[in-house]
């Protein structure tokens, strides 16, 4: 029996990979405009990094990490997300010494041992950004404006932005306790999972999909009613800036995030096109994270986009690979050899060129040129080799022009610019 891929980890094949490349390149283009630079971190980190940042009682750390010991008995984890590794690198490389504001982006695979389904995988890919060093609400709005602009660029408009504020270490504990008290009085209505976690991670109960939990929390206290005045002001400014930039959003006071490092602004970009995996991007502020990982007390904010979910949404609007500009059909060994040299010269000169390698009939070669959707074809046979000229056929209107083989490379390089 042949060996297959690991469940929940997928190949990206030609035909679809072009969509990935388009989405990745668009991110580079848009993020570059906003002054972001790329950062690349290793795929594995010390396990401790994720426990300390994402939080011991989160689903990710409790159940979903790919954790293993290496041969020296170090506990390592395949990164389940990008923020913690980027902050680890930021601190280790003292990036704050280079500039008071760091704007970074990354893209690559992440790993979570979740139950695979449409839009949810065990290896998935994120395009993420992080800004370290700015507390001002302008940066929250700027990051959201950039996310919005990215979706304009990739032409996906069936998404909506939901925002919330989760408060800070000043005001959240009071809210948390009030929520615990509220949940305690309705414990019987909660699912087993929420009964277990309502004390350790009460905010997650608001996010639980179980009907009983949803019904029991309809009147739960709202985090927005418990913000301290600096958090309230900050959130009001974020909303004002978003309005000034004409970025549509909804406030969703029940939105909590699955990672513990968030404070103040949090957000999700959601769609109704992907069933239950409705978040195509998500993020927020993590002002205490850098300090808690041993770095300077600098605020941070960022988001990550789920690339597979974007690819699913692009669906029909598939991006196709650029087709060849020229297909050379050759008849006989001598012509095939000449075609091969011409093709190689043209490719080196930047002209996308294809030929047949199998010694097929002219008819079969022309079928292949059509399949490739080649812009032009050139037929090389004995006669053409002798006369040193051949007919270049424009496949869009079947018009033909005579070209000299010895100057073909120069002629076509000029033609295709
Ligand atoms: P997250 O909400 O865990 O946040 O993930 C961000 C996005 O990654 C999700 O909205 C979703 O599109 C995608 N995603 C997550 N898990 C899966 C999965 N199993 N399969 C497919 N796609 C998935 C974070 O990871 C934070 N680090 C985001 C952030 C950056 N916050 C601040 N900076």
């Amino acid at each position: 029996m042949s060996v297959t891929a690991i469940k929940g980890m997928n190949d990206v094949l030609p035909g679809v990979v072009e969509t990935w490349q388009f989405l990745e390149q668009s991110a580079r283009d848009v993020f570059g405009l906003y002054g972001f630079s790329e950062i690349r971190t290793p795929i594995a980190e010390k396990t401790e990094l994720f426990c300390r940042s994402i939080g011991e009682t989160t689903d990710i750390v409790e159940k979903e990490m790919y954790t293993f010991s290496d041969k020296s008995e170090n506990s390592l984890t395949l990164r389940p997300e990008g923020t913690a590794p980027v902050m680890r690198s930021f601190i280790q490389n003292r990036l704050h010494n280079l500039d008071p504001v760091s704007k970074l982006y990354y893209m690559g695979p992440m790993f979570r041992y979740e139950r695979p389904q449409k839009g949810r995988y065990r290896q998935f890919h994120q395009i993420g950004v992080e800004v370290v060093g700015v507390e001002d609400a302008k940066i929250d709005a700027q990051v959201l404006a950039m996310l919005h602009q990215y979706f304009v660029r990739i032409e996906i408009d069936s998404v909506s932005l939901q925002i919330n504020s989760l408060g800070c270490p000043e005001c959240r504990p009071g809210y948390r306790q009030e929520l615990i008290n509220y949940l305690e009085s309705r414990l019987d209505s909660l699912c087993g999972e929420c009964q277990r976690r309502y004390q350790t991670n009460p905010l997650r109960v608001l996010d639980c999909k179980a009907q009983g939990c949803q019904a029991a929390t309809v009147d739960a206290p709202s985090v927005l009613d418990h913000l301290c005045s600096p958090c309230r002001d900050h959130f009001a400014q974020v909303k004002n800036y978003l309005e000034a930039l004409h970025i549509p959003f909804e406030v969703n006071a029940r939105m909590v995030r699955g990672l513990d490092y968030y404070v103040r602004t949090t957000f999700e970009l959601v769609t109704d096109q992907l069933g239950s995996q409705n978040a195509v991007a998500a993020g927020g502020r993590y002002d205490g994270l850098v300090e808690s990982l041993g770095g300077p007390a600098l605020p941070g904010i960022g988001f990550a986009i789920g690339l597979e979910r974007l690819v699913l949404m692009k669906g029909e609007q598939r991006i196709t690979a650029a087709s060849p500009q020229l297909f050379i059909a050759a008849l006989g060994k001598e012509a095939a050899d000449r075609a091969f040299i011409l093709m190689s010269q043209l490719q080196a000169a930047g002209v996308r060129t294809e030929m047949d390698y199998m010694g097929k009939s002219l008819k079969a070669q022309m079928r292949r040129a059509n399949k490739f959707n080649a812009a032009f074809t050139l037929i090389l046979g004995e006669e053409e080799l002798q006369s040193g000229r051949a007919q270049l056929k424009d496949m869009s209107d079947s018009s033909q022009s005579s070209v000299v083989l010895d100057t073909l490379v120069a002629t076509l390089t000029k033609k295709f610019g």
Side-chain angles (χ1 to χ4, degrees):
M1 211 171 65
S2 57
V3 181
T4 55
I6 299 167
K7 186 177 171 195
M9 303 200 182
N10 301 312
D11 303 310
V12 184
L13 302 178
V16 181
V17 81
E18 291 77 14
T19 305
W20 286 67
Q21 290 167 340
F22 163 74
L23 295 169
E24 289 161 355
Q25 189 53 47
S26 303
R28 293 181 195 285
D29 293 347
V30 173
F31 300 168
L33 285 172
Y34 287 78
F36 283 69
S37 306
E38 185 173 358
I39 183 166
R40 301 184 187 194
T41 63
I43 233 162
E45 297 276 352
K46 293 179 183 162
T47 302
E48 181 195 350
L49 174 68
F50 300 112
C51 300
R52 278 171 58 182
S53 53
I54 299 172
E56 297 278 4
T57 62
T58 57
D59 282 354
I60 297 179
V61 171
E62 275 188 351
K63 307 183 235 178
E64 297 171 358
M65 295 207 301
Y66 278 89
T67 296
F68 58 96
S69 292
D70 70 5
K71 292 192 192 303
S72 314
E73 300 296 316
N74 300 307
S75 178
L76 306 182
T77 294
L78 297 185
R79 59 182 186 194
E81 59 106 49
T83 310
V86 170
M87 290 311 116
R88 193 269 309 137
S89 172
F90 173 89
I91 297 165
Q92 188 174 346
N93 296 295
R94 301 176 182 281
L95 297 189
H96 50 281
N97 287 342
L98 302 180
D99 197 289
V101 182
S102 297
K103 298 190 202 172
L104 304 164
Y105 76 85
Y106 51 90
M107 45 186 83
M110 309 288 159
F111 302 85
R112 296 183 194 174
Y113 194 82
E114 294 193 80
R115 199 167 45 78
Q117 62 180 80
K118 182 182 167 196
R120 188 166 72 193
Y121 311 100
R122 290 182 174 170
Q123 174 178 298
F124 60 99
H125 295 73
Q126 287 185 341
I127 299 181
V129 313
E130 313 293 349
V131 183
V132 188
V134 189
E135 193 184 351
D136 194 293
K138 283 192 205 65
I139 206 74
D140 304 48
Q142 168 95 134
V143 160
L144 287 168
M146 184 168 85
L147 181 61
H148 178 80
Q149 208 45 49
Y150 176 67
F151 277 78
V152 171
R153 171 73 70 102
I154 63 171
E155 296 180 345
I156 293 182
D157 54 13
S158 48
V159 286
S160 55
L161 174 64
Q162 302 197 338
I163 64 168
N164 193 15
S165 175
L166 294 181
C168 68
E170 283 297 310
C171 51
R172 178 122 41 102
Y175 170 66
R176 198 172 171 277
Q177 191 53 51
E178 197 165 313
L179 188 58
I180 291 176
N181 297 345
Y182 173 91
L183 294 171
E184 215 148 37
S185 65
R186 289 160 178 79
L187 219 47
D188 292 345
S189 319
L190 303 185
C191 72
E193 173 81 359
C194 287
Q195 287 186 358
R196 185 184 67 77
R197 68 182 171 186
Y198 85 97
Q199 290 223 343
T200 49
N201 212 339
L203 273 73
R204 288 303 287 180
V205 180
L206 298 178
D207 200 32
C208 182
K209 304 269 188 294
Q211 255 182 357
C213 297
Q214 293 200 347
T217 54
V218 171
D219 301 318
S222 162
V223 63
L224 294 177
D225 295 334
H226 292 77
L227 298 181
C228 58
S229 110
C231 285
R232 213 168 33 240
D233 288 351
H234 193 272
F235 193 49
Q237 285 179 37
V238 173
K239 290 187 287 183
N240 286 343
Y241 286 129
L242 288 177
E243 274 159 17
L245 297 174
H246 303 291
I247 308 228
F249 67 90
E250 276 167 44
V251 173
N252 176 1
R254 293 177 64 92
M255 186 183 68
V256 299
R257 305 274 301 118
L259 305 97
D260 278 357
Y261 49 61
Y262 290 114
V263 296
R264 293 194 166 175
T265 318
T266 51
F267 51 88
E268 284 186 357
L269 207 55
V270 295
T271 177
D272 55 14
Q273 294 189 351
L274 293 178
S276 58
Q277 305 309 310
N278 66 345
V280 285
R285 264 198 179 272
Y286 44 84
D287 293 350
L289 179 61
V290 176
E291 192 178 15
S292 78
L293 291 174
L298 289 171
I301 180 167
F303 63 72
I305 303 167
L307 209 36
E308 280 81 358
R309 295 185 188 178
L310 289 191
V311 174
L312 282 172
M313 289 187 77
K314 273 310 240 184
E316 300 301 301
Q317 297 176 34
R318 282 266 165 84
I319 319 290
T320 47
S323 41
Q325 290 156 307
L326 178 70
F327 186 95
I328 309 178
L331 292 168
K333 178 168 179 344
E334 210 183 323
D337 284 349
R338 182 75 192 270
F340 173 65
I341 303 294
L342 280 173
M343 177 179 76
S344 305
Q345 289 170 337
L346 284 163
Q347 288 165 332
V351 180
R352 292 191 303 277
T353 313
E354 275 286 350
M355 67 177 283
D356 158 67
Y357 300 93
M358 318 272 197
K360 291 256 172 71
S361 69
L362 180 61
K363 207 167 145 195
Q365 291 191 53
M366 292 313 280
R367 261 204 309 272
R368 203 154 161 69
N370 275 321
K371 184 174 171 234
F372 277 129
N373 203 13
F376 288 84
T377 54
L378 188 86
I379 298 174
L380 274 191
E382 230 167 83
E383 208 183 301
E384 284 77 16
L385 291 184
Q386 259 167 25
S387 67
R389 302 186 77 92
Q391 294 295 317
L392 182 69
K393 182 172 173 187
D394 183 336
M395 301 297 277
S396 65
D397 59 6
S398 297
S399 62
Q400 305 215 13
S401 56
S402 172
V403 287
V404 177
L405 292 182
D406 283 343
T407 54
L408 183 71
V409 177
T411 311
L412 290 189
T413 316
K414 204 161 143 209
K415 187 177 187 74
F416 295 121

